[in-house]
């Protein structure tokens, strides 16, 4: 298996990370109903026993990547507000990495009082992302598994009342989740969210994010169905997320933030260098599994609900170029002849297209660029075994994949390529029990 060139996203090979996620503690006062860490922890009790990252270990990390200028995230399934030393930790980070942007992900429901909060922001903290997925005491207890909704409110009020409170609150973003009424039966969830958002605006918060919720149970595991459920490798091995270095509180390095425990570790920074970790057998196994579209080899990936690539256009183009290289000299079938086709067609000049298939082939010329235009029904013949290259926008790619599998249930191409390679099929939560 040949892997893409380093500029396809393997920042780790050259230690050119765009972000470093540092888990400062595994302790958490919450028991969120959808939390990946909680779901896994019930199966593997060892997952949350590492405690707090030692200050000496934090400094070791900072010295390992001197002069880092990217984004530093303090979070990864632990509640940093439990740490009395959090301001000191941020000062240490900023002392070693003065040009980095440092953010804290938190539920912000551990009440600390105005002095602590002021010290937190004055330490050099660039931003706070507050996860708030329920907006009354009862709902908060149901969703976050905590009675600390009042603690969140008190912290916001305390921050507002500081002398520089307005400035601090401009660095705060509240993160909400969509469809909580449908997914978890939160009555009048939208109206409650709006009411809480108005309270937050009254405190001086101006930034809000509305994200989809991804429960940890998956109705249909991708293993064995990878070509249809996951149309391209997860960007954790090639795109934006490949540039994130994820470090647990005990200095274990893991592929991404969804790896919350000890079941798949790339290496440990106490025992190995970054070069050794990103050339380890586990690292090669992880990447090879994804490039072969076999996420079932990795239990966490086989259950992951947040598979997507979040790729930039240039990264999608690089992945397309790599995929084109894999089928150079082979006969292939193209699907689609619109904007994406015009954008990526030249990448596949070394392949031999036998047909362009289109749902409305009868309305198109008999050939485009000298390639015969055919109906998708040719996929029931010999062409159905050839590599298929789909030229379509992300949303259309997902629709095409579903339609092909529905119309031709036995269709199994030798290789499936999406251009742009950032198609994303949203999970169907209606099928959850």
């Amino acid at each position: 298996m040949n892997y893409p060139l380093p500029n396809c996203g393997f920042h780790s090979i050259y230690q050119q990370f765009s972000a470093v996620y540092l888990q400062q503690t595994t302790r958490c006062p919450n028991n969120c109903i959808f939390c990946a860490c909680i779901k896994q922890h019930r199966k593997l009790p060892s997952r949350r026993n590492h405690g707090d990252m030692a200050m000496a270990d934090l400094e070791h990390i900072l010295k390992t990547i001197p002069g880092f200028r990217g984004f530093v995230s303090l979070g990864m399934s632990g509640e940093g507000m439990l740490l009395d030393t959090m301001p000191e930790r941020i000062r240490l980070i900023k002392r070693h990495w003065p040009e980095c942007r440092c953010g804290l992900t938190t539920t912000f429901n551990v009440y600390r009082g105005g002095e602590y909060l002021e010290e937190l922001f004055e330490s050099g903290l660039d931003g706070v992302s507050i996860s708030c997925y329920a907006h009354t005491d009862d709902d908060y207890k149901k969703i976050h598994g905590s009675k600390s909704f009042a603690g969140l409110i008190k912290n916001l009020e305390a921050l507002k009342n500081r002398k520089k409170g307005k400035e601090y609150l401009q660095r705060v973003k509240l993160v909400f989740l969509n469809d909580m009424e449908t997914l978890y039966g939160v009555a009048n969830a939208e109206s409650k969210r709006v009411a809480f958002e108005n309270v937050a605006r009254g405190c001086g918060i101006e930034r809000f994010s509305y994200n989809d919720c991804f429960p940890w149970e998956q109705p249909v595991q991708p293993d064995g169905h990878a070509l249809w459920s996951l149309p391209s490798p997860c960007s954790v091995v090639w795109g934006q997320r490949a540039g994130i270095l994820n470090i647990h509180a005990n200095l274990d390095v893991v592929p991404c933030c969804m790896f919350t425990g000890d079941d798949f570790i790339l290496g440990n920074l106490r025992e190995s260098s970054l070069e050794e970790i990103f050339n380890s057998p586990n690292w090669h196994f992880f990447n090879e599994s994804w490039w072969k579209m076999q996420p079932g080899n990795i239990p966490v990936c086989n259950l992951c609900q947040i598979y997507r690539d979040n790729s930039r256009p240039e990264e999608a183009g690089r992945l397309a170029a790599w995929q084109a290289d894999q089928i150079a000299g082979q006969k292939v079938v193209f699907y689609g002849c619109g904007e994406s086709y015009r954008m990526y067609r030249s990448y596949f000049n070394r392949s031999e297209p036998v047909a362009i298939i289109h749902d409305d082939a009868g309305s198109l010329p008999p050939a485009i660029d000298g390639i015969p235009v055919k109906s998708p029904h040719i996929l029931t013949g010999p062409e159905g075994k050839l590599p298929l290259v789909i030229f379509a926008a992300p949303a259309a790619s997902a629709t095409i994949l579903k339609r092909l599998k529905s119309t031709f249930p036995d269709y199994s191409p030798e290789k499936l390529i999406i251009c742009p390679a950032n198609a994303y099929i949203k999970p169907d939560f209606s099928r959850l029990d």
Side-chain angles (χ1 to χ4, degrees):
M1 173 66 66
N2 296 317
Y3 297 110
L5 297 173
N7 67 356
C8 271
F10 288 102
H11 312 282
S12 52
I13 292 176
Y14 294 104
Q15 301 181 28
Q16 293 176 353
F17 299 100
S18 58
V20 179
Y21 287 13
L22 299 175
Q23 183 187 51
Q24 295 303 289
T25 181
T26 57
R27 295 184 292 139
C28 183
N30 306 303
N31 188 17
C32 297
I33 195 171
F34 48 79
C35 177
C37 186
I38 293 294
K39 297 291 185 181
Q40 296 174 35
H41 177 53
R42 288 170 182 160
K43 298 178 182 178
L44 296 174
S46 66
R47 288 182 180 273
R48 275 195 167 183
N49 64 358
H50 298 312
D52 305 337
M53 179 181 285
M55 294 292 286
D57 284 343
L58 174 59
E59 188 157 20
H60 173 68
I61 294 170
L62 300 175
K63 290 179 179 178
T64 298
I65 314 176
F68 178 68
R69 298 179 180 181
F71 177 67
V72 179
S73 175
L74 305 177
M76 291 187 66
S77 72
E79 179 48 73
M81 294 282 288
L82 291 170
L83 295 170
D84 294 338
T85 59
M86 183 56 77
E88 181 183 353
R89 291 166 185 265
I90 296 170
R91 284 193 292 268
L92 181 63
I93 292 170
K94 285 292 190 174
R95 189 157 59 246
H96 283 270
W97 297 344
E99 297 184 59
C100 78
R101 294 176 294 108
C102 186
L104 174 66
T105 299
T106 172
T107 54
F108 213 60
N109 61 12
V110 179
Y111 178 64
R112 301 302 309 230
E115 291 185 7
Y116 175 93
L117 295 175
E118 182 171 321
E119 185 182 4
L120 191 68
F121 279 87
E122 289 296 326
S123 66
L125 187 62
D126 295 293
V128 176
S129 179
I130 300 176
S131 305
C132 184
Y133 308 143
H135 312 104
T136 67
D137 288 329
D138 290 341
D139 291 343
Y140 201 87
K141 182 178 179 181
K142 176 181 179 179
I143 301 301
H144 285 279
S146 168
K147 298 179 180 180
S148 302
F149 183 61
L152 167 60
I153 301 297
K154 289 172 65 178
N155 275 329
L156 292 178
E157 291 289 346
L159 199 55
K160 174 185 176 182
N161 292 330
R162 303 309 292 181
K163 183 177 180 180
K164 297 172 64 177
K166 184 175 181 179
E167 175 190 328
Y168 300 151
L169 286 161
Q170 290 177 346
R171 303 183 217 168
V172 174
K173 178 177 70 175
L174 272 170
V175 180
F176 302 130
L177 292 181
N178 302 320
D179 302 324
M180 296 303 285
E181 187 163 359
T182 302
L183 291 173
Y184 295 113
V186 178
N188 303 313
E190 182 65 13
S191 61
K192 292 174 181 175
R193 180 198 60 76
V194 171
F196 176 75
E197 185 175 323
N198 289 334
V199 172
R201 290 183 187 278
C203 287
I205 296 176
E206 300 176 352
R207 299 169 59 219
F208 302 89
S209 177
Y210 312 91
N211 300 339
D212 288 338
C213 176
F214 297 95
W216 193 246
E217 297 88 358
Q218 182 155 338
V220 178
Q221 293 188 353
D223 191 18
H225 307 282
L227 288 178
W228 303 107
S229 299
L230 308 174
S232 66
C234 180
S235 70
V236 75
V237 297
W238 66 268
Q240 184 183 45
R241 292 172 63 206
I244 300 174
L245 175 62
N246 299 272
I247 306 175
H248 283 177
N250 66 339
L251 268 60
D252 281 342
V253 176
V254 293
C256 86
C257 60
M258 287 292 101
F259 288 77
T260 61
D262 306 333
D263 53 326
F264 195 91
I265 297 166
L266 300 179
N268 187 283
L269 281 172
R270 289 199 195 103
E271 304 163 359
S272 306
S273 67
L274 282 174
E275 291 86 353
E276 291 169 334
I277 289 172
F278 286 99
N279 281 286
S280 66
N282 270 7
W283 184 83
H284 285 290
F285 174 79
F286 180 81
N287 281 274
E288 183 176 358
S289 295
W290 264 112
W291 286 111
K292 288 182 176 180
M293 291 308 294
Q294 295 174 348
N297 291 338
I298 308 157
V300 173
C301 294
N302 201 34
L303 291 173
C304 184
Q305 285 287 344
I306 65 167
Y307 162 80
R308 66 176 80 192
D309 56 39
N310 297 320
S311 56
R312 294 185 291 269
E314 62 270 22
E315 290 176 328
R318 288 170 187 153
L319 182 58
W322 175 80
Q323 293 183 114
D325 186 62
Q326 304 308 296
I327 58 172
Q330 299 181 36
K331 292 184 177 181
V332 299
V333 175
F334 290 163
Y335 195 121
C337 54
E339 181 180 352
S340 295
Y341 171 81
R342 293 190 294 273
M343 181 181 298
Y344 291 107
R345 168 65 180 92
S346 63
Y347 289 34
F348 296 86
N349 282 340
R350 291 184 294 155
S351 299
E352 183 182 341
V354 301
I356 293 176
I357 59 177
H358 195 279
D359 294 332
D360 195 16
S363 66
L364 298 175
I368 295 175
D369 296 335
I371 307 168
V373 176
K374 301 290 184 180
S375 161
H377 284 86
I378 68 166
L379 298 177
T380 59
E383 294 87 348
K385 295 300 180 183
L386 298 178
L388 177 70
V389 181
I390 297 179
F391 296 104
S397 299
T399 301
I400 290 168
L401 288 170
K402 292 179 179 179
R403 186 165 60 245
L404 285 178
K405 188 59 177 174
S406 174
T407 307
F408 310 108
D410 297 325
Y411 175 55
S412 180
E414 177 183 310
K415 190 181 290 290
L416 183 65
I417 293 173
I418 308 293
C419 292
N422 59 350
Y424 168 53
I425 298 178
K426 183 176 179 179
D428 181 4
F429 297 121
S430 65
R431 296 160 65 190
L432 287 173
D433 294 332

